[in-house]
Structure formats: structure tokens, C-alpha cells
Amino acid sequence: MLEIKNLHVKLEEEDKVILKGVNLTVETGKVHAIMGPNGSGKSTLSYVLSGRDGYEVTDGSALLEGEELLEMEPEERAAAGLFLAFQYPVEIPGVGNMTFLRTALNAQRKARGQDELSAGEFLKVVREKAKTLKIDADMLKRPVNVGFSGGEKKRNEILQMAMLEPKMCILDETDSGLDVDAMRLVADGVNALRDAGRSFLVITHYQRLLDHIKPDVVHIMADGRIIQTGGPELALEVEQNGYADILKAHGLTEAV
Amino acid sequence: MGAAVQKSTLEARLEGLSTTGFAPAARKDALARLVAMGLPGRRDEYWRWTNPADFIAATPVPAQAFDDSDEAPVFEATDRVKLVFVDGVFDADASDDLALAGVEITRLAEAPDLNWASGLYGTLEVAGQTPVARPLAALNTAAATDGLLIRATAKAEKPINLIYIHRSEVSDPILHHVIRLEEGAELTILENGPAGARFNKVMEVDVAKGARFHHVRVQGRDHERRAATAIFARVAEEALFKSFTLTVNGVLTRNECVIDMVGDDAVAHVAGAALGDGASDAFLHDDTVFVTHGAERGESRQVFKKVLKHGAVGTFQGKILVKPGAQKTDGYQISQSLLLDDDSQFLAKPELEIYADDVKCSHGSTTGAIDETALFYLRSRGVPMEEARGLLVLSFLADAIDEIEDEGLRDDIVGRLEAWLNRHRD
Ligand SMILES: Nc1ncnc2c1ncn2[C@@H]1O[C@H](COP(=O)(O)OP(=O)(O)OP(=O)(O)O)[C@@H](O)[C@H]1O
Ligand SMILES: [Mg+2]
């Protein structure tokens, strides 16, 4: 599904190199998790994959189902099936959440040569999906993420994902800021979307989320690289011992 | 030049204009006011950012009528009484009957002694001349050729739509409307169209106790339009005054709005959304607002938003004056611009002057660009660049548009905004 090879990224405005050769392959239908210390480049990786400005790819490639993502506009990547649940979802005053969802969904359908959904059909689907995520009518009406609590914003990201039905879902710390019940809601939302044709890349600091969303593969990212890859047990190890040993084994100190 | 005696600018401007006809006394007074204050000049503080030269010139800069037939007529979806002026001349054939239950409508030109409006014509304009002189409005009162006297005594069942059509390249209409809402009445006035190559329009609005006045105006797509308009409103106890203006294009537009809140618990909201693209023609849009709180517990809101690109210029001068004794006043003013490139410019002068101690007043002014983070967020959800930018522009304008109470009218305005944005993609 997603094949990242030797990805090197620096900031456009500064000489700061953030990703120093990321290699990562997510197979179709699989759930991969990425853990790693603060500042190791996890969010940067997710932004670069989805096409945010401000980064310069100096080397490497990222293929989504064989197509080069890095040459596409952000909206083309979305239409190709990529979705990023933001670590910090963006507030857009003045744009209703419903309008936002409908515009996005119809834009993607159009890009894929499908008919736009009628207002009625759309409402039906959105209400149903919102209900399972405990997003009430009021939240749907309000401007996108404005005045939403941290947890509400994260649930709103999952609602967007459920509506857009992407093939490759990247979740950047979707668990942070969630209470125990909300975490279960979000995990259920993700699990409901798991199927043989859809892949996930779950960025998280905590084993807790991975109790609910069971990963097939766990990666450790540090200093702009994937330094270790393993099964679900790797997350448990991090949870118990922290990163010190793993970092040391790769010649890195904790203060990278 | 030569032996000829140089005419003064004022004499030249007045040449060919009639200051006799209806309301002779009021017009004579207005002329005297105008002579005393003189025409505005570039050096006047109140015209610091907007050069009045084209408004005071003897003749208008010729302007071709603009064909906007690719769009549905403004307000078409609303059931309304249509009253049409072509180059400032009332067109009875194109208009509906001057009849609406609960409302008296008379043409100024057909009411020599002004009927019920005899004590009103020019009086709100006079009141609005202090503390700042508004010579173009005095000129209007003195030399208007026509206009409407509209008096509502009950809740009107539909809006009145004043449609100003522009045909002649050199038309220079001066129209003056007097509107009075009697106690408890309710009326909506819709206005659209450029009216002429150069347009000078005054609307005096007297809102009596508990009455509700709504005004929605579309200053249309003509690039060459030059317009100086002024609204003078007096808002009585528990009365409501609400005005919204959409301006797209126009070489030069100055919209003044002077509101006097004379009764307790009065409400006055005035809002505007202006979009200018200097690539098609020059664009200068000036909103000049003066709200006076003269009674207790008044609520006023000024919400002005401008979207500017390719050298377009937007200006805002807005003042809230709270007189002694106007306690519990709630005054709010915001003026904002969204600059879509680095060439455009927004100038704002927000002012508060407060002589009462128990009031809540705030004002703010901002200039900004499209929020790149929000733009990326939208695009990451699959919304194409231009559509995403359009959504963000609409979101920027939302607070102003929300000042329109009627949903149908609001949708009409939003549709026009979207169409404009589609036509002006880079
Ligand atoms: N636009 C930017 N300007 C300056 N520094 C940046 C920028 N983007 C990323 N960085 C830096 O790059 C490094 C990686 O940041 P990134 O946000 O990708 O880390 P992360 O692994 O997601 O961390 P966390 O776990 O705290 O979310 C950090 O040192 C960060 O400060
Ligand atoms: Mg991060």
C-alpha cells in the first residue's frame, strides 16, 4: 500500500534536516504503529506524506499503491486515498463542519469520477457515522473545530476519516487528549474501518491505544529514521522501559 | 485661462442641476449649507484616503453600462415590489404599482409639498452634518431629481426593491429617499444596481418606537461605477435598524452611514462585505460610519469585511460616539481585510468617543492573508486549492453576512459571492 524509501527531508527555510532516510513499508490491510521520542520526526513524516508546504524532500520516494505521492498536490493525495488525522486539528471559523465534510466528500468523489452525493443522502450517512462517534448535531453545525474540546477535535478527525473512506490512514497521536471512554470510541471507529483493503499508520506514544487498535507491526522512530521494527511486543517493551536501551543500541542518546 | 472668468468648483458642479421643484425651502437650506461647507477636498481629514475629485467634478467620468445578464437578477428569488430607476429616472413601465399593504409609496418628483415627509426631508441629513461635514449629502438634498417617500404603518408583507439601472455612459443621477417606519411597523428595503456613471444617493430613515427596518443592498459588478451614498438613520426607543451592503467591483465607492440612536433600548447594526480585484480595473471602497448613542441600553454593531487583490484598496472610518447619559451602551465595531496578495491595501481608522461611565464598547481592526494552515487542512481532505481558498474567503466574510436576518436574502448574497470568487480565480 505505502512504500517509503530512503526519505530525506529538510526544512525549506532553514538548513535543518529532520528526516534522515526513512524506510517503511505498510502492506495492504495491515496496521502499523510508529512510536518514538518527542521531536524524532513522526509528525514531519505524516505532513510530508500529505503534502504540507515548508519541507524540502532532498532524497527518496513515497509510493501509494505504486504512485509517487511526493509529486502530487495535497488534494490529489487525498483523492488517491491518503488521509491524515492531524495531531493538532485546525480550527476554521466561519465554515460549518457539515459544509466542510460535504465539500470534502464531494470533491473527492468528483476527482474519482463519481457522482456527488445529494444533500439528503449525505445527511443520512453523516448522522449515522456521527452517532457512533457520539458527535452530536450541535457539533456538526458549528464551525470546523472551533471551540471543540481536545477530545472532540480528535473524534471529529475520525468522523472525517469515516466519511472519506481513505485507503491509507495516518493517525498522528489521535489518542492524545482523549479520556478513557473517548479513546474506546475512537478505537472502535478505527477498528470498524479496518478491512483487507485499508491500511493504517498509527503514531502514538502509548501502549494504551494499541491495546484497542492491535497493530501488526510496530516501528520505533528516532532522530529522523526508523531504528527498529518489531511486533506488538515492541510497544510493550517501550511502555515498560522507555527508549533509553533502544536508543543506546543505535548509538543515540536520549537528548536527540 | 483666456479672458473667461474661472468658475469655482462648486459652481461648476451645480451647473445644470435644479434646486427648485419639490421641497423648495429644504433644498434652499441645503444649498446654503453646501455653500458654507464647500465641496470636499483631498485635504479634508474625512477624505484622507479617498480622493473625492471624481465626485466633485463638473461632469462624471464616462462609464459604460455593464452587462451582468450571465447572472440571475439580484433578489430574484424574493417576492418583492420592484421599483425601477433608469439612469436615475423612474421607469413606471418596468416598475410594479406603488402599492403595498401597510405602506405608502410616493415619488418625490410627484409630491411637491412632500405630504407626510415635509418635516423630514433633509432633517436627518442636517443632523448628520455635525460633528463632521458631509457636503455630498447636502448637495444631494439640494439637487436631487427624484426619489421615493416610503412610509410604513404596519408590517409590510414583502420587501420593496429599488433597482437602479445604468444605461447612458454619462448619466449622473442624484436620488434622495425618505423612509419612515411608524410605531411598530416593519419594512425591508432592497437596493441593487449601479444607477449611472456616477451616482449620488441619500436615504433618510426614521425608525419610530418599536419599529423594525431591514436594508440589504448589492452594489453590483460594474467596474467603472462611481458612487457616493449616505444613509442617515434615526432610531427610536426599542426600534431596530439593520443594514447590509455587498459591494463587488467599482472604481470608486464611498458608503457613509450615520446612525443616531435617540431612544432607549434601540438596536442598530450596519455591515458590509466588499470584494475588489484591481486586475480588472481600479478598485477603491470606502466605508465611513458614525454611530451616536444618545440614549440608554442601546446596542450597536459595525461589521465590515473586505477582500482585496491586485492593487485593490479598502478603507474604513468608523466611529462610536457615546453621549453623556447613554448608560449601558453596548457598542461594537470590527473592520477587517483579507489581502489575497501583497499589492493590495487596507486602511482603517476606528474611533471611540465615550462620555458615559457605564458602557461596554469595543473596536478592532485587522489585516490578514489566507490562513495557510487552514488551506492545507482543507486540501488534505481533498478540496482543490481554489475551492478551498473560496471557502476560506466565505468564512472570513461570514460575520458580516450573518447580519442579514432573512435566510433567502443571505443565500442570494452568498451565491453572488461564490460567483464572484469563481470569476476571479488566479
Ligand atoms: N516547521 C518547522 N520549523 C522548525 N522546526 C521544525 C518544523 N517542523 C518540525 N520541526 C522540528 O523537527 C523535529 C521533528 O518534529 P516533529 O513534529 O516531526 O516531531 P514528532 O516526532 O512528531 O514529535 P512529538 O512526539 O512531540 O509530536 C523537531 O525538532 C521540530 O522542532
Ligand atoms: Mg508529532
Side-chain angles (χ1 to χ4, degrees), chain B residues 138-173:
Chain B
L139 169 73
N140 180 298
T141 302
T145 49
D146 205 349
L148 294 165
L149 305 175
I150 299 174
R151 178 173 177 233
T153 49
K155 184 174 160 111
E157 67 183 19
K158 50 183 161 180
I160 295 173
N161 185 186
L162 311 180
I163 300 171
Y164 307 117
I165 293 172
H166 170 207
R167 288 222 182 98
S168 154
E169 261 186 48
V170 292
S171 54
D172 190 18

Side-chain angles (χ1 to χ4, degrees), chain A residues 11 14 16 18 36-44 55 87 173 205:
Chain A
L11 290 178
E14 299 169 42
K16 182 167 175 167
I18 302 176
N38 293 130
S40 55
K42 305 180 297 296
S43 292
T44 302
Y55 304 102
Q87 180 172 3
E173 291 195 29
H205 286 294

Side-chain angles (χ1 to χ4, degrees), chain A residues 20 37-40 221-224 247 251-256:
Chain A
K20 303 172 180 172
N38 293 130
S40 55
M221 186 161 188
D223 193 25
L247 292 177
L252 297 166
T253 59
E254 236 168 312
V256 282

Side-chain angles (χ1 to χ4, degrees), chain A residues 73 75 84 108 157 160, chain B residues 377 379 381 385 387 395:
Chain A
E73 296 295 331
E75 54 268 34
L84 167 63
Q108 291 208 15
E157 293 289 290
Q160 292 165 38
Chain B
Y377 190 58
R379 294 177 75 196
R381 291 333 183 216
M385 175 78 139
E387 202 178 332
S395 85

Side-chain angles (χ1 to χ4, degrees), chain A residues 4 17 19-20 33 49 65 79-80 95 104 119 137 144 146 162 170 195 204 241:
Chain A
I4 304 168
V17 179
L19 301 184
K20 303 172 180 172
L49 290 175
E65 292 191 309
V95 176
V144 180
V146 177
I170 305 175
D195 78 34
T204 182
N241 306 328

Side-chain angles (χ1 to χ4, degrees), chain A residues 50-52 73-75 78 83-84 86 92-95 100 103-104 107-108 145 157 160, chain B residues 371-374 376-387 391-392 394-396 398:
Chain A
S50 44
R52 188 178 188 143
E73 296 295 331
E75 54 268 34
F83 181 90
L84 167 63
F86 282 52
I92 314 183
V95 176
F100 170 62
T103 309
Q108 291 208 15
N145 293 327
E157 293 289 290
Q160 292 165 38
Chain B
D371 178 350
E372 290 298 329
T373 311
F376 171 64
Y377 190 58
L378 285 164
R379 294 177 75 196
S380 79
R381 291 333 183 216
V383 183
M385 175 78 139
E386 285 301 324
E387 202 178 332
L391 257 183
L392 293 176
L394 284 179
S395 85
F396 165 76

